[in-house]
Structure formats: structure tokens, C-alpha cells
């Protein structure tokens, strides 16, 4: 789910992530679109703002908004691998590449729309 939110916030279509270059390009676009202080990384505040922006674009049931906000915060903590309070391009890329085997359930080397919809079923530790 977070990959879709990131793509929406970056105003890019969701990448297929069939290869490392696709994920690399997607994470570059996310940082470029959301890094308001232009330091090359995303702070918790920038990540949260990106998530809030994405929530306004999704058909979200009002009762689900708080849960989604908690998910956004949890995703930040999970992706901040070194715990410094910032997400770097490398951290975000590593998380996605580590999640790929779980996401690519049919093993064909690409993430289909159906697999993307089931992404939340991957255990958080598999996404890390």
C-alpha cells in the first residue's frame, strides 16, 4: 500500500518495480517531489505531509483515515533502517527490494496490479 501512496504523492504512476532501476527511479521521484528542504532525504514531517497529500487523493472512508495515518507513521519507522529520523534514497530502495519476493507472489519478476493490491498482506518484516 505504501508504494501506491508514495507514487500518488509523487504524482507518478505506480512503478512496476520489475527491475532495480524502476524502483531507483521511483524513489528518486518521491524524494524530489516531497523533500521540501532539498536536503536529499525525507524527514518525518516531510513523510507525513506526503502521506496526507496522498490521503486527499484516495477514496478513503473517513473512519479509516486515522488507521491510515498510523500506517504512514509505522511505515516511516520501518523504513528508517538506521533510526536517524530521516529516510534516504538508499533506505527506501533497500526496503522495496527486500519486499520484492513477497510482493511478486507469482515469481514472474514484475509486480502486477493484482499483486500491488495485495501488498499490505506482506508482513512488515518482509517489507523491511
Amino acid at each position: 500500500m505504501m508504494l501506491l501512496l508514495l507514487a500518488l504523492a509523487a504524482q507518478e504512476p505506480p512503478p512496476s518495480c520489475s527491475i532495480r532501476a524502476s524502483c531507483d527511479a521511483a524513489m528518486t521521484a518521491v524524494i524530489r517531489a516531497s523533500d521540501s528542504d532539498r536536503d536529499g532525504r525525507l524527514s518525518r514531517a516531510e513523510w507525513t505531509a506526503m502521506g496526507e497529500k496522498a490521503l486527499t487523493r484516495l477514496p478513503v472512508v473517513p473512519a479509516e483515515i486515522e488507521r491510515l495515518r498510523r500506517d504512514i507513521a509505522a511505515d516511516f519507522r520501518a523504513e528508517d533502517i538506521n533510526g536517524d529520523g530521516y529516510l534516504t534514497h538508499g533506505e527506501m530502495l533497500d526496503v522495496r527490494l527486500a519486499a520484492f519476493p513477497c510482493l511478486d507472489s507469482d515469481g514472474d519478476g514484475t509486480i502486477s496490479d493484482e499483486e500491488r493490491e495485495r501488498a499490505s498482506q506482506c508482513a512488515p518484516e518482509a517489507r523491511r
Side-chain angles (χ1 to χ4, degrees):
M1 179 175 109
M2 187 46 64
L3 184 57
L4 177 59
L5 289 174
L6 291 173
L8 286 170
Q11 299 178 346
E12 298 285 329
S16 67
C17 284
S18 62
I19 57 173
R20 181 183 181 93
S22 294
C23 290
D24 183 62
M27 295 307 96
T28 298
V30 165
I31 290 176
R32 187 176 298 125
S34 303
D35 181 19
S36 60
D37 63 7
R38 301 291 179 232
D39 66 353
R41 58 191 183 168
L42 297 182
S43 67
R44 183 180 306 274
E46 290 166 331
W47 178 266
T48 301
M50 178 182 61
E52 289 292 329
K53 183 177 179 181
L55 286 176
T56 66
R57 295 182 177 162
L58 295 172
V60 179
V61 177
E64 291 293 306
I65 290 177
E66 285 309 311
R67 183 188 59 78
L68 292 170
R69 285 181 174 143
R70 287 191 303 273
D71 289 349
I72 290 167
D75 283 342
F76 183 90
R77 288 188 302 274
E79 294 197 32
D80 184 15
I81 295 169
N82 65 6
D84 68 352
Y86 295 92
L87 299 181
T88 64
H89 178 275
E91 286 173 319
M92 293 168 62
L93 181 61
D94 288 349
V95 167
R96 274 139 196 87
L97 293 176
F100 192 85
C102 176
L103 297 170
D104 182 23
S105 61
D106 62 8
D108 70 351
T110 62
I111 306 298
S112 68
D113 289 340
E114 183 178 295
E115 288 168 325
R116 193 174 291 112
E117 288 174 15
R118 292 191 313 256
S120 64
Q121 295 172 6
C122 285
E125 54 274 4
R127 295 185 345 199
R128 186 151 206 237

